[in-house]
């Protein structure tokens, strides 16, 4: 059978739609009483301590989960920061509030730790749309290419890759590979892939997956909102369509967008990513106004309304259930472990080297400033 890679193997929509509908049915209702919530949060903090567990949360999770993570010495971060924090933290149990690939990555990077996911059903449309068997054929059809996969994939896909990247480091890693003259095969997010391709000029063959949340942002609606707020800065996650990215003032990972929101002098921001991030933005820049970028439809016609249905499964109740019956946690099949670890660790090492370079150049700048100061005096 002839297969026209990468388009005809990458149609996650039907599977997505069903999985998404089922997921929304399971998202718990909100607390009625603040006192109930406070009591539960206290109990959860105690359970975390008793089990020597640290809570590592993504910015898209429920604000209560994000607050609890910070209050109990855990972290809230983008995918790369979550992986780094889980790997470096001394706790024997890492509890991941996010989606499946995040918990799986934590386990691959820290096989000696017990890694728990808050909710077993929390997955990702990018992961669902990149089946390992289909991906194998994609790679086999292009053996001359270095294989770069986004972190939003299964261990079975990561095990076939040379590199794993997250949105915060993808540009730097692809630039590095392009400078070495490498041709790349990229999966699974087509929007992030084409953004990186444009920015770096690298030769990249793209898998055609997408994120159901970011795919919904629309340039027309965004333009209309921008004309109502002409001074607003537009912050866009690169999983969004090219027409939306083209309107952005800042394109970046969730942490990079948050940093821009805090540091930029503008007072109003339009944000094109899952609305879960608005909690951290409003906490860290309370004097500023944050507006959600418009999605394709409204109410019943909207697929996601800029909320990831799988991230929404990370509730305080689900966390309580998990801590009450933790079980052995995430397991990664023995035959995948080493391959997936190699491609993930490569990214972690690249990120660590980059941080080191930044530290060295900051030190040099400080020293040269001291030197100038001495000279001027
Ligand atoms: P970040 O790494 O930017 O947090 O993105 C993860 C993700 O799933 C975005 O949809
Ligand atoms: Fe996956 Fe999109 Fe949800 Fe992120 S927001 S976890 S990319 S479906």
């Amino acid at each position: 059978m002839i297969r026209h890679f990468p388009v005809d193997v990458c149609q996650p929509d039907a599977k997505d739609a069903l999985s998404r509908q089922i997921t929304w049915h399971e998202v718990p209702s909100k607390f009625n009483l603040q006192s109930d919530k406070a009591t539960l949060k206290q109990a959860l903090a105690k359970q975390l301590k008793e089990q020597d567990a640290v809570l590592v949360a993504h910015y898209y999770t429920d604000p209560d989960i994000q607050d609890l993570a910070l209050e109990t010495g855990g972290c809230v971060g983008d995918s790369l920061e979550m992986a780094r924090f889980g790997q470096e933290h001394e706790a024997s149990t890492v509890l991941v509030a996010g989606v499946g690939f995040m918990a799986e990555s934590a386990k691959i990077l820290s096989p000696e730790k017990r890694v728990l996911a808050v909710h077993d059903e929390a997955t990702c449309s990018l992961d669902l749309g990149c089946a390992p068997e289909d991906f194998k054929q994609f790679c086999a059809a292009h053996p001359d290419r270095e294989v770069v996969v986004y972190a939003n994939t299964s261990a079975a896909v990561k095990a076939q890759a040379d590199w794993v990247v997250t949105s915060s480091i993808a540009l730097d890693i692809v630039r590095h590979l392009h400078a070495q003259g490498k041709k790349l095969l990229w999966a699974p997010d087509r929007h992030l892939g084409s953004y990186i391709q444009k920015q770096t000029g690298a030769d990249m063959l793209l898998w055609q997956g997408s994120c159901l949340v970011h795919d919904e942002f629309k340039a027309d609606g965004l333009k209309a909102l921008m004309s109502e707020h002409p001074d607003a800065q537009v912050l866009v996650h690169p999983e969004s369509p090219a027409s939306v990215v083209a309107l952005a003032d800042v394109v970046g990972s969730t942490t990079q967008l948050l940093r821009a929101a805090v540091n930029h002098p503008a007072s109003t921001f339009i944000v094109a990513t899952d609305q879960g991030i608005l909690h951290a933005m409003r906490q860290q820049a309370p004097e500023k106004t944050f507006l959600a970028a418009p999605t394709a439809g409204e109410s019943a016609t909207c697929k996601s309304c800029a909320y990831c249905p799988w991230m929404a499964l990370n509730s305080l109740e689900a966390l309580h259930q998990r801590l009450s019956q933790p079980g052995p946690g995430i397991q990664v099949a023995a035959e995948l472990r080493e391959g997936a670890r190699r491609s993930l660790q490569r990214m972690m090492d690249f990120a660590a080297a980059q941080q080191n370079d930044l530290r060295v150049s900051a030190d040099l700048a400080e020293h040269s400033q001291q030197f100038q100061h001495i000279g001027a005096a």
Side-chain angles (χ1 to χ4, degrees):
M1 185 177 79
I2 297 172
R3 290 204 139 185
H4 301 278
F5 290 112
V7 272
D8 69 350
V9 293
C10 318
Q11 304 296 339
D13 279 9
K15 212 162 36 159
D16 267 1
L18 184 63
S19 173
R20 185 166 23 90
Q21 275 164 23
I22 294 168
T23 305
W24 275 121
H25 284 297
E26 292 185 7
V27 173
S29 55
K30 293 279 169 203
F31 286 92
N32 290 328
L33 290 172
Q34 285 301 316
S35 58
D36 290 351
K37 188 162 76 178
T39 310
L40 181 53
K41 279 177 82 177
Q42 267 175 9
L44 288 167
K46 188 160 170 271
Q47 279 179 308
L48 285 167
K49 203 166 173 193
E50 283 165 359
Q51 299 192 30
D52 188 29
V54 65
L55 184 57
V56 179
H58 190 267
Y59 289 115
Y60 297 164
T61 56
D62 190 295
D64 293 328
I65 290 278
Q66 296 185 43
D67 292 348
L68 183 70
L70 295 179
E71 286 157 16
T72 54
C75 88
V76 183
D78 66 13
S79 311
L80 182 61
E81 289 168 333
M82 290 172 75
R84 195 189 290 136
F85 190 91
Q87 192 176 27
E88 288 174 0
H89 200 278
E90 63 201 7
S92 58
T93 294
V94 179
L95 190 41
V96 178
V99 294
F101 76 85
M102 295 170 175
E104 205 174 44
S105 294
K107 181 66 184 175
I108 294 164
L109 290 170
S110 303
E112 74 292 357
K113 294 181 187 171
R114 182 174 66 160
V115 176
L116 304 171
V118 170
H119 200 295
D120 290 333
E121 305 298 319
T123 183
C124 165
S125 63
L126 288 166
D127 189 350
L128 287 175
C130 190
E133 274 311 305
D134 293 334
F135 186 64
K136 195 171 170 184
Q137 293 184 49
F138 186 30
C139 296
H142 306 282
D144 55 322
R145 288 175 180 260
E146 189 103 341
V147 178
V148 182
V149 302
Y150 195 28
N152 303 35
T153 45
S154 62
V157 167
K158 289 186 177 82
Q160 299 176 54
D162 298 301
W163 289 84
V164 171
V165 299
T166 69
S167 57
S168 66
I169 204 164
L171 264 180
D172 296 332
I173 290 181
V174 168
R175 248 186 219 120
H176 165 77
L177 297 173
H178 180 46
Q180 295 177 345
K182 302 236 165 89
K183 290 199 293 179
L184 308 179
L185 185 155
W186 167 273
D189 189 86
R190 63 173 188 260
H191 297 311
L192 178 59
S194 68
Y195 168 69
I196 291 168
Q197 196 171 35
K198 270 189 213 128
Q199 295 295 312
T200 61
D203 179 342
M204 294 167 70
L205 194 58
L206 308 181
W207 186 271
Q208 296 295 300
S210 64
C211 159
L212 66 90
V213 178
H214 292 87
D215 218 17
E216 285 277 285
F217 292 116
K218 288 284 175 275
D220 283 351
L222 180 53
K223 276 185 206 156
L225 190 60
M226 287 165 73
S227 61
E228 284 172 36
H229 302 274
D231 297 329
Q233 286 286 299
V234 179
L235 311 180
V236 175
H237 196 283
E239 287 171 14
S240 309
S243 55
V244 172
V245 170
L247 299 171
D249 295 299
V250 178
V251 181
S253 76
T254 46
T255 295
Q256 290 163 343
L257 298 183
L258 174 62
R259 228 175 268 147
V262 172
N263 295 332
H264 196 282
S267 59
T268 304
F269 296 82
I270 299 174
V271 183
T273 192
D274 182 291
Q275 289 187 38
I277 189 106
L278 300 183
H279 177 61
M281 287 181 174
R282 288 178 178 138
Q283 266 180 338
Q284 295 186 30
E287 73 290 1
K288 298 182 179 179
T289 302
F290 296 101
L291 307 167
T295 47
E298 273 175 39
S299 185
T301 58
C302 184
K303 274 197 204 166
S304 76
C305 298
Y307 280 109
C308 175
W310 297 294
M311 288 284 185
L313 291 173
N314 291 274
S315 62
L316 291 178
E317 296 94 327
L319 178 57
H320 180 56
Q321 232 169 30
R322 173 60 73 221
L323 283 167
S324 304
Q325 291 181 320
I330 303 289
Q331 304 294 323
V332 179
E335 68 277 15
L336 303 175
R337 259 180 242 150
E338 187 41 34
R341 195 203 58 78
R342 198 182 346 97
S343 53
L344 253 172
Q345 190 58 49
R346 232 170 162 182
M347 168 181 76
M348 304 304 283
D349 293 343
F350 186 95
Q354 204 179 39
Q355 272 210 328
N356 213 21
D357 285 353
L358 279 176
R359 242 176 263 131
V360 170
S361 49
D363 280 356
L364 281 176
E366 199 182 315
H367 281 129
S368 64
Q369 261 178 12
Q370 281 170 7
F371 205 68
Q372 274 172 15
H373 180 67
I374 291 165

